[in-house]
């Protein structure tokens, strides 16, 4: 190890940037919480206060269709008129896109708040990652010019994921995958040296959220009795089914995206998209609206009130609504609704097969759809374990993850292909 690398791995070198990384985590959590609370306030205003003032039933078909159509129109106006067009097309972007110019951030934030409040089946992850990365690079480079932009982006990614999942472990797993192949022979630094300050950001981000609103993903399931040989078969089978559902949505997203983009501009695309989402909400029921976090808890608490057929319908409608929302241009991410699909599908399996081990089935269902949606095996495995928090499930779910990876490896991911370039004449 060279003297330069030795200097970088010493504790004093690691701690030099730690205060800045910790502040990044706090700032990312505050940003996520602020935009989420704004969206929840607007959602309450429209879906509860306004419907009550007008004497309307918020679960009626005409209210659901009307509200989503109006929100789609409003988001279309933001996308058309805001500087930077409210960020990149969410259907074609990966997690953690490049930072945007400062003038583009208010439009993206407004479009995100409107999307979350509208009832569209998208979560906050893609836009909030872009917003936080852009803000951290903008402010950080001015305050600490010696820290490069990619470092600020890495800290913001970690801080935001820590805040979204309420734990730094999600960021640790995601960053470990990102750093795979970058061993000491290339960078000269051990992986944990490169993870140190990103995990500081992830930890402070998660602490802010846990102290403010508490855990977000955990659902009520019976206690796991411990590993049995049959659990492996249940886990692999259920994970493959939900993985196949996610894979089907992956192939559907591109043609639906191109269909919406044949319409004359974002206002038309998002208005039509809102109208379609409204009717999907009518078909699947109010539980299939919004990002799905609170709704998956509701169906888990009241699962006895839903037949297996109803739960299958919810899962399929939610998955189709995810595709439509992303394809039409609503600003949001796909992890949160995908988890809802897994939970609904898992409860449907339990409803069909009385002997099914509930924690195994629920964890495997979330695992399969999440791997298909984001192609991050570790993050999907961790996501399943925060929905069904029992570490004894880890060996069973790991085998299921390997099976699903064989299904999805090398196949289309859950994002749209960019439209083909016009032919030259």
């Amino acid at each position: 190890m060279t003297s330069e690398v030795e200097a970088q791995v010493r504790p004093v070198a690691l701690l030099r940037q730690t205060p800045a990384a910790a502040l990044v985590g706090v700032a990312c959590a505050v940003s996520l919480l602020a935009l989420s609370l704004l969206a929840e306030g607007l959602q309450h205003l429209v879906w509860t206060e306004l419907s009550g003032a007008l004497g309307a039933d918020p679960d009626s078909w005409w209210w659901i269709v009307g509200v989503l159509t109006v929100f789609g129109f409003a988001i279309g106006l933001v996308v058309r008129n805001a500087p930077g067009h409210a960020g990149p097309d969410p259907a074609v972007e990966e997690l953690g896109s490049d930072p945007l110019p400062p003038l583009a951030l208010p439009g993206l934030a407004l479009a995100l708040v409107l999307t979350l409040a509208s009832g569209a089946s998208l979560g906050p992850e893609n836009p909030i990652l872009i917003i936080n990365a852009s803000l951290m690079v903008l402010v950080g480079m001015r305050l600490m010019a010696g820290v490069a932009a990619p470092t600020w982006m890495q800290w913001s990614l970690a801080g935001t994921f820590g805040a979204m999942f309420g734990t730094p472990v999600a960021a640790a797993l995601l960053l470990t995958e990102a750093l795979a192949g970058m061993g000491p022979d290339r960078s000269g630094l051990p992986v944990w040296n490169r993870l140190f300050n990103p995990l500081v950001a992830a930890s402070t981000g998660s602490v802010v959220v846990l102290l403010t609103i508490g855990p977000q993903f955990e659902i009520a399931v019976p206690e796991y009795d411990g590993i049995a040989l049959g659990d492996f078969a249940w886990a692999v089978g259920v994970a493959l089914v939900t993985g196949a559902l996610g894979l089907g949505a992956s192939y559907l997203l591109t043609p639906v995206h191109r269909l919406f983009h044949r319409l004359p501009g974002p206002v038309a695309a998002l208005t039509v998209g809102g109208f379609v989402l409204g009717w999907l909400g009518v078909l699947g029921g109010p539980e299939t609206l919004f990002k799905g976090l609170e709704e998956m808890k509701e169906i888990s608490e009241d699962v006895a009130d839903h037949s297996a057929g109803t739960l299958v319908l919810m899962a399929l409608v939610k998955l189709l609504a995810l595709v439509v929302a992303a394809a039409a241009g609503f600003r949001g991410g796909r992890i949160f609704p995908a988890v809802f699909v897994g939970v609904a599908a898992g409860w449907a399996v339990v409803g069909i097969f009385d002997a099914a081990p509930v924690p195994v089935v629920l964890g495997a269902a979330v695992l399969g759809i999440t791997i298909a949606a984001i192609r991050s095996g570790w993050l999907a495995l961790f996501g399943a374990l925060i929905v069904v928090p029992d570490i004894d499930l880890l060996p069973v779910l790991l085998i299921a993850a390997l099976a699903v990876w064989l299904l999805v490896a090398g196949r289309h991911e859950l994002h749209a292909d960019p439209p083909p370039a016009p032919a030259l004449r």
Side-chain angles (χ1 to χ4, degrees):
M1 185 179 291
T2 67
S3 58
E4 180 180 351
V5 172
E6 286 177 346
Q8 293 184 64
V9 300
R10 291 172 182 163
V12 66
L14 291 174
L15 292 172
R16 189 177 298 123
Q17 296 175 346
T18 296
L23 288 175
V24 166
V26 172
C28 289
V30 169
S31 172
L32 172 65
L33 287 171
L35 292 176
S36 298
L37 290 174
L38 280 174
E40 289 173 10
L42 180 58
Q43 175 185 331
H44 179 75
L45 180 65
V46 172
W47 289 88
T48 303
E49 298 294 335
L50 182 59
S51 63
L54 297 176
D57 179 2
D59 294 340
S60 63
W61 70 266
W62 64 271
W63 184 263
I64 294 173
V65 174
V67 167
L68 272 157
T69 303
V70 170
F71 266 106
F73 176 75
I75 297 167
L77 291 177
V78 173
V79 172
R80 186 184 69 185
N81 299 313
H85 301 294
D89 184 346
V92 301
E93 288 297 314
E94 302 283 355
L95 286 172
S97 301
D98 293 335
L100 295 177
L103 285 176
L105 299 181
L108 178 56
L110 177 57
L112 171 60
V113 168
L114 292 173
T115 294
L116 293 177
S118 69
S121 293
L122 293 175
E125 56 272 24
N126 289 53
I128 196 64
L129 285 168
I130 297 173
I131 291 168
N132 283 346
S134 303
L135 289 174
M136 294 308 103
V137 170
L138 175 67
V139 176
M141 292 291 288
R142 294 186 178 184
L143 297 179
M144 295 180 64
V147 179
T151 299
W152 291 107
M153 291 179 62
Q154 191 179 64
W155 291 351
S156 72
L157 175 70
T160 305
F161 263 95
M164 280 194 299
F165 288 98
T167 169
V169 180
L173 297 175
L174 185 68
L175 291 170
T176 301
E177 285 189 339
L179 294 173
M182 295 174 60
D185 59 326
R186 292 182 58 184
S187 70
L189 291 174
V191 167
W192 272 93
N193 282 73
R194 287 171 282 160
L195 284 174
F196 187 87
N197 279 311
L199 291 184
V200 169
S203 298
T204 55
S206 63
V207 166
V208 169
V209 169
L210 289 174
L211 291 177
T212 306
I213 57 177
Q216 295 296 292
F217 279 83
E218 184 178 344
I219 62 173
V221 296
E223 185 177 351
Y224 185 43
D225 293 331
I227 293 178
L229 189 60
D231 293 349
F232 292 93
W234 279 108
V236 169
V238 171
L240 286 174
V241 169
T242 58
L245 286 175
L247 194 60
S250 301
Y251 284 103
L252 183 61
L253 183 53
T254 293
V256 175
H257 179 259
R258 292 182 180 174
L259 185 64
F260 273 107
H261 281 69
R262 291 178 184 173
L263 296 171
V267 175
L270 281 153
T271 302
V272 172
F275 181 78
V276 174
L277 288 174
W279 282 109
L280 286 173
V282 173
L283 176 63
E287 296 91 346
T288 59
L289 299 174
F290 304 103
K291 62 186 178 184
L293 210 56
E294 295 302 319
E295 291 73 20
M296 74 182 190
K297 295 177 184 178
E298 291 174 7
I299 65 170
S300 297
E301 292 170 358
D302 303 324
V303 67
D305 297 335
H306 303 292
S307 68
T310 299
L311 291 164
V312 169
L313 179 64
M314 285 183 184
L316 294 176
V317 166
K318 188 71 171 181
L319 190 59
L320 184 55
L322 186 164
V323 170
V324 170
F330 284 83
R331 268 36 184 181
R334 299 182 280 280
I335 297 176
F336 285 60
V339 172
F340 175 95
V341 173
V343 170
W347 282 121
V349 172
V350 172
I352 296 170
F353 301 99
D354 292 337
V358 178
V360 172
V361 168
L362 268 293
V366 172
L367 173 79
I369 187 73
T370 310
I371 289 180
I374 62 175
R375 301 302 160 86
S376 171
W378 284 125
L379 193 56
L381 185 62
F382 171 77
L385 287 172
I386 62 171
V387 173
V388 187
D390 193 322
I391 196 63
D392 290 341
L393 288 169
L394 181 58
V396 179
L397 294 181
L398 184 55
I399 296 297
L402 295 175
V404 178
W405 195 261
L406 290 176
L407 173 69
V408 303
R411 293 185 168 89
H412 202 283
E413 299 182 21
L414 189 55
H415 59 74
D417 296 328
L424 297 177
R425 296 187 179 183

